[in-house]
């Protein structure tokens, strides 16, 4: 039986496909779930947990959750593949490289944050510095942030890439990178 704890980072696979993403366990509802035995779980884990992402809270079945606060090499590989695919789509659709990525992160101590901007250049710009959580060196630098321990956080999901709004040479487009949102906005 998978163990869940408060403040644990999880990925919610929303059955409706509308709000899937990185969340934090807010309440494990241990009293409510006390009657569910390990023998019942192999078919469907019907334990109910309260999760939130800083913008909303929802009660969900444990079956719909994947634990991400200790990412496996497989989950890191999926995040990195999403980064590569989203980056390529952005370049193909916009004719230029993106200026920054919008990502979800988890802190190494277990907390989560649903949306941060990570600039794909280490060059500081006083006009935009307040908009960025972190600076890295291009796509490879971004991919390296999928590994816990290198910084105080790690990327748990790539939401989309963007260019600066003032970049008049190219129309501004967001390309959703998350597997459930592989469509152009």
């Amino acid at each position: 039986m998978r163990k869940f704890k408060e403040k644990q980072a999880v990925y919610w696979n929303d059955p409706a496909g509308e709000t899937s993403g990185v969340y934090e366990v807010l309440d494990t509802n241990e009293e409510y779930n006390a009657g569910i035995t390990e023998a019942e779980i192999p078919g469907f884990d019907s334990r109910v947990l309260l999760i939130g992402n800083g913008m909303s809270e929802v009660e969900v079945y444990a079956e719909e959750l994947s634990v991400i606060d200790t990412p496996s090499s497989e989950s890191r590989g999926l995040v990195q593949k999403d980064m590569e695919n989203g980056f390529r789509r952005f370049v193909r659709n916009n004719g230029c490289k993106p200026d920054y990525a919008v990502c979800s992160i988890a802190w190494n101590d277990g907390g989560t944050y649903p949306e941060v901007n990570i600039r794909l250049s280490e060059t500081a710009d006083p006009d935009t510095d307040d908009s960025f959580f972190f600076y890295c060196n291009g796509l490879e630098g971004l991919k390296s942030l999928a590994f816990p321990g290198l910084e105080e956080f790690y990327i748990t999901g790539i939401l989309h890439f963007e260019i600066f709004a003032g970049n008049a040479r190219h129309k501004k487009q967001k390309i959703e990178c998350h597997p459930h949102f592989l469509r152009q906005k």
Side-chain angles (χ1 to χ4, degrees), residues 14 17 30 45 53 60 74 87 116 120 154 160 166 174 184:
D14 176 13
E30 289 193 27
D45 192 344
N53 65 3
V60 300
E74 181 181 342
F87 188 90
V116 298
L120 300 175
Y154 56 94
H160 56 267
K174 265 195 316 196
Q184 189 172 352

Side-chain angles (χ1 to χ4, degrees), residues 48-62:
V48 175
L49 298 116
L50 178 66
I51 61 173
N53 65 3
M55 295 180 279
S56 65
E57 296 178 358
V58 64
E59 285 189 329
V60 300
Y61 290 114

Side-chain angles (χ1 to χ4, degrees), residues 112-179:
T112 62
Y113 202 80
E115 191 172 305
V116 298
N117 295 333
I118 298 179
R119 184 154 181 194
L120 300 175
S121 166
E122 294 179 334
T123 305
D125 181 355
D127 294 335
T128 61
D129 278 350
D130 292 341
S131 303
F132 294 102
F133 169 78
F134 194 79
Y135 292 77
C136 68
N137 191 14
L139 178 61
E140 291 306 313
L142 186 69
K143 287 170 47 179
S144 74
L145 295 173
F147 295 91
L150 298 176
E151 297 292 337
E152 294 179 11
F153 69 94
Y154 56 94
I155 296 173
T156 58
I158 181 83
L159 304 175
H160 56 267
F161 290 94
E162 292 193 28
I163 57 177
F164 295 126
N167 191 345
R169 296 177 315 166
H170 305 283
K171 63 181 181 174
K172 184 176 180 204
Q173 290 186 343
K174 265 195 316 196
I175 305 299
E176 297 289 355
C177 301
H178 188 276

